[in-house]
Amino acid sequence: MPTSTAEHDSLDASTAHVAKTANLVGNDIGARAQAVSFLEQLPEIVLEKICAFLAQSPDQLDLVALDLVARPLFCLARASPALYAIATRALMKWPGHGVSWLMPLDGFGEPDTFAVYGLPSNFECVPGSVAVCTVYGGAATACDQVETVLNQDPATTDPAALAQLAALFRRLEPHAPRVQPASAAWFLITSADPPEGAAINRVQRRQLVRIAPHLIRDLSFHMDVAPLPPFLTRLTISGEAIPMLNERVGVFRNVPKTLRELNMMAAAGWMDKSTLHWMLAHLPRQLEKLTLEAIHLDDQDAAVLALMLPPRLHTLGLSSNDFTATGALSVIAHAPPTLATLDVSENTLDRWGQDAGDMISFLTTPARMDALLAARDACHRVTSLSLCHSFATYPAALTLIVPALPPSLTFLDISNNCLSIETVTALVHRMPPALTHLGVAQCALDAERMEDLASALPWTLITLDLHWNRDLGDAGVAALLRGWKKRGPQFKKLDLRGCGVGDVGVQLLLEELGREVVVHLDGNKDVSDHGQSDVATARPRWTVNQVDPVLGG
């Protein structure tokens, strides 16, 4: 339903009122009540637009703006039951909600205060950040601590307000099952920075907003676990939460049917084989995206995973594990036909066994090529493939992999592998024809190899990542541009950070590339101040700092 001009005018006025004044976050009760009364009279569609404006993505805002944006939304949610549902929905669109535990400190002489355990990292817990919490305690304690949060200032029990709140929860999801345990309640918190000298984080009652579990779609377990909300779509489990899966909660035994994405990562020393095998055996069948990163998957585990892959999976991430090409081929051979994105980076895929004989057989046995070709057939629909840092034992092994690349690829990243002349030649002859992104960062490319590679770049190519090929230099840039003119890729982004480029290469790029192309030249120490000035004047979107913060000086 289109918004009328009058509603647009109200939207503009109300947004300015909410975002630019302190009426909702100040201590003036009269001014706050006046603001709330004004907002309650607006049409619901206008309120939704106000909240959407205030709930901009946190990664697009600085810390000050985060505080200014989040606090009015929290105040809206707490100020009036009529505004609660809309403001809370807007807050829950922010990604990355993490589980924390709240413990009431009333018995320790700190009324209306909670100790907070299991917060995300300090980087994530900035003023205005959002975390999902539960409260420890029995049913009576939880009700006493929880149900006085909304619309209570100071906190008192108001049966009429509680009944109104319960009705709102029912209206949010009228057909949702009532699965919330009596001893746990979900909250949003603004921030919980520890006071100076304090050993634990604390959060005040006024910084909490109760949240219906039916609104939680994206959840992270890092320090602890909790019952899964009934409409969860994305779950991330990492760190110390991993060994608790089977021992304490058995999370996957009651997975909501809405779950589509599961990420498990950064196990470090937490993932034992018992937990891993239990988890593999309980993978939800409805998953469409699965990431198992750095959880010590070996070839035997990969064989088990291959038999348990969900049938509708379209994205599979298996980076930073311990399997070889044997394990990779086990998974690929059983990949569902829906698979489109595969990441097996940072697994030594050319190591077939532990002895030199097995390694050499990879390079010499035709059966290995048959297996690779069979893998290509199994993944003929894959459009995105990452093989970064995967062929460290024998760089020539990548030469044998290239003929097995699925021709359907649009995204290919083989960074951090040494590209020999033989490998480049193989790529020239078997370059996927519809590629839009090619990542060959830190691949020991020089001008000679670049000359050959540039001749095969498909015209569909939009992004080319060459960073940290230190021997590329101005000659490599010239070779790239010669091939670019012949093949005519539709470049939009070119990454040449740390590639030994100087003023000559910069001038060639300025002359040959159109203004629509963005080039990153950070970390090239041979670019003079004059060259940097030329870039700043002619191409302000390019970056050309001599020291790159990622690559180092």
Side-chain angles (χ1 to χ4, degrees):
M1 179 176 175
T3 308
S4 67
T5 302
E7 288 174 338
H8 273 302
D9 293 341
S10 297
L11 170 61
D12 293 339
S14 302
T15 299
H17 183 78
V18 173
K20 297 179 180 179
T21 73
N23 284 348
L24 286 176
V25 296
N27 295 319
D28 188 335
I29 297 176
R32 186 163 64 238
Q34 184 179 5
V36 169
S37 176
F38 169 71
L39 291 170
E40 286 178 329
Q41 298 175 31
L42 294 174
E44 184 171 323
I45 188 173
V46 177
L47 285 171
E48 289 177 347
K49 291 185 177 181
I50 292 172
C51 292
F53 172 84
L54 292 174
Q56 299 176 63
S57 176
D59 59 9
Q60 299 174 0
L61 304 167
D62 57 29
L63 298 188
V64 175
L66 269 173
D67 194 30
L68 292 175
V69 165
R71 290 180 67 202
L73 277 174
F74 274 95
C75 290
L76 278 176
R78 297 187 72 248
S80 164
L83 305 177
Y84 168 83
I86 298 172
T88 305
R89 280 196 184 101
L91 283 167
M92 292 309 295
K93 290 180 180 178
W94 283 1
H97 305 302
V99 166
S100 305
W101 297 102
L102 300 179
M103 180 174 290
L105 294 178
D106 297 51
F108 297 90
E110 297 185 49
D112 297 331
T113 305
F114 298 84
V116 184
Y117 299 88
L119 278 173
S121 68
N122 290 331
F123 176 77
E124 295 172 338
C125 189
V126 296
S129 67
V130 180
V132 177
C133 303
T134 59
V135 174
Y136 267 139
T141 302
C143 290
D144 182 59
Q145 296 291 339
V146 168
E147 294 181 343
T148 60
V149 171
L150 182 64
N151 206 26
Q152 307 297 317
D153 192 13
T156 56
T157 302
D158 183 348
L162 296 180
Q164 193 173 15
L165 177 60
L168 277 170
F169 284 151
R170 287 194 296 272
R171 183 169 66 85
L172 291 176
E173 297 288 352
H175 304 295
R178 308 259 75 84
V179 297
Q180 183 179 355
S183 59
W186 295 87
F187 289 91
L188 296 175
I189 66 172
T190 51
S191 62
D193 296 325
E196 186 175 352
I200 57 175
N201 295 317
R202 285 168 167 79
V203 61
Q204 301 297 315
R205 186 188 301 276
R206 64 178 178 272
Q207 294 176 299
L208 296 171
V209 174
R210 185 175 179 181
I211 177 71
H214 317 108
L215 294 180
I216 303 171
R217 300 292 189 266
D218 183 353
L219 195 59
S220 297
F221 294 163
H222 176 64
M223 298 290 291
D224 218 326
V225 292
L228 294 182
F231 292 97
L232 194 68
T233 59
R234 182 177 185 267
L235 175 62
T236 299
I237 309 173
S238 63
E240 297 176 46
I242 288 177
M244 301 176 188
L245 294 179
N246 194 24
E247 297 173 10
R248 292 186 51 187
V249 177
V251 168
F252 295 147
R253 295 188 184 123
N254 295 291
V255 171
K257 294 181 179 180
T258 54
L259 190 67
R260 293 295 179 268
E261 179 177 345
L262 173 63
N263 304 300
M264 189 169 298
M265 57 191 66
W270 303 109
M271 178 64 80
D272 57 45
K273 287 296 182 183
S274 175
T275 301
L276 175 60
H277 292 161
W278 176 85
M279 181 272 298
L280 292 176
H282 289 81
L283 281 178
R285 306 306 293 164
Q286 74 270 25
L287 288 180
E288 296 175 357
K289 182 176 181 180
L290 175 63
T291 300
L292 302 174
E293 179 182 319
I295 63 171
H296 304 308
L297 279 172
D298 58 24
D299 287 345
Q300 183 178 3
D301 304 326
V304 175
L305 172 63
L307 300 177
M308 302 303 297
L309 287 174
R312 293 184 293 175
L313 205 65
H314 63 69
T315 300
L316 180 60
L318 300 172
S319 65
S320 303
N321 282 298
D322 301 328
F323 58 79
T324 70
T326 301
L329 291 175
S330 297
V331 173
I332 292 172
H334 293 82
T338 53
L339 190 67
T341 299
L342 177 63
D343 185 354
V344 289
S345 299
E346 298 195 50
N347 292 276
T348 309
L349 300 182
D350 57 2
R351 178 171 51 83
W352 287 82
Q354 297 301 319
D355 58 71
D358 284 337
M359 296 179 189
I360 293 173
S361 71
F362 174 80
L363 302 175
T364 58
T365 305
R368 300 306 188 195
M369 279 305 303
D370 294 340
L372 293 172
L373 293 173
R376 182 186 65 179
D377 293 339
C379 285
H380 68 281
R381 295 184 181 178
V382 170
T383 59
S384 176
L385 179 63
S386 298
L387 298 168
C388 302
H389 213 309
S390 297
F391 300 96
T393 310
Y394 286 95
L398 188 56
T399 306
L400 300 179
I401 297 294
V402 169
L405 292 176
S408 56
L409 286 180
T410 60
F411 180 101
L412 175 62
D413 197 342
I414 53 175
S415 299
N416 299 91
N417 294 292
C418 182
L419 299 189
S420 63
I421 289 291
E422 293 77 15
T423 302
V424 171
T425 301
L427 269 175
V428 168
H429 290 96
R430 300 302 295 265
M431 183 74 71
L435 211 58
T436 60
H437 173 95
L438 177 61
V440 283
Q442 199 176 357
C443 284
L445 290 173
D446 54 18
E448 181 183 3
R449 291 172 173 81
M450 191 70 254
E451 186 86 46
D452 292 337
L453 186 62
S455 67
L457 296 179
W459 69 271
T460 55
L461 196 66
I462 295 174
T463 303
L464 179 60
D465 185 357
L466 293 165
H467 79 262
W468 222 343
N469 285 286
R470 296 190 180 276
D471 296 329
L472 205 58
D474 293 339
V477 170
L480 170 63
L481 293 175
R482 284 194 297 273
W484 176 80
K485 285 193 291 186
K486 292 178 182 178
R487 304 287 293 181
Q490 306 300 305
F491 278 145
K492 298 299 181 186
K493 181 180 177 181
L494 177 61
D495 195 337
L496 290 168
R497 291 173 297 154
C499 287
V501 180
D503 286 349
V504 173
V506 168
Q507 291 303 316
L508 285 172
L509 292 165
L510 289 172
E511 293 170 4
E512 299 293 341
L513 296 182
R515 291 183 175 273
E516 72 280 2
V517 183
V518 176
V519 181
H520 296 295
L521 290 159
D522 300 319
N524 288 289
K525 298 181 179 180
D526 293 333
V527 179
S528 66
D529 293 341
H530 180 71
Q532 293 185 57
S533 178
D534 288 345
V535 169
T537 302
R539 300 289 191 275
R541 297 171 62 197
W542 293 15
T543 60
V544 67
N545 298 317
Q546 287 187 336
V547 177
D548 183 81
V550 177
L551 303 179

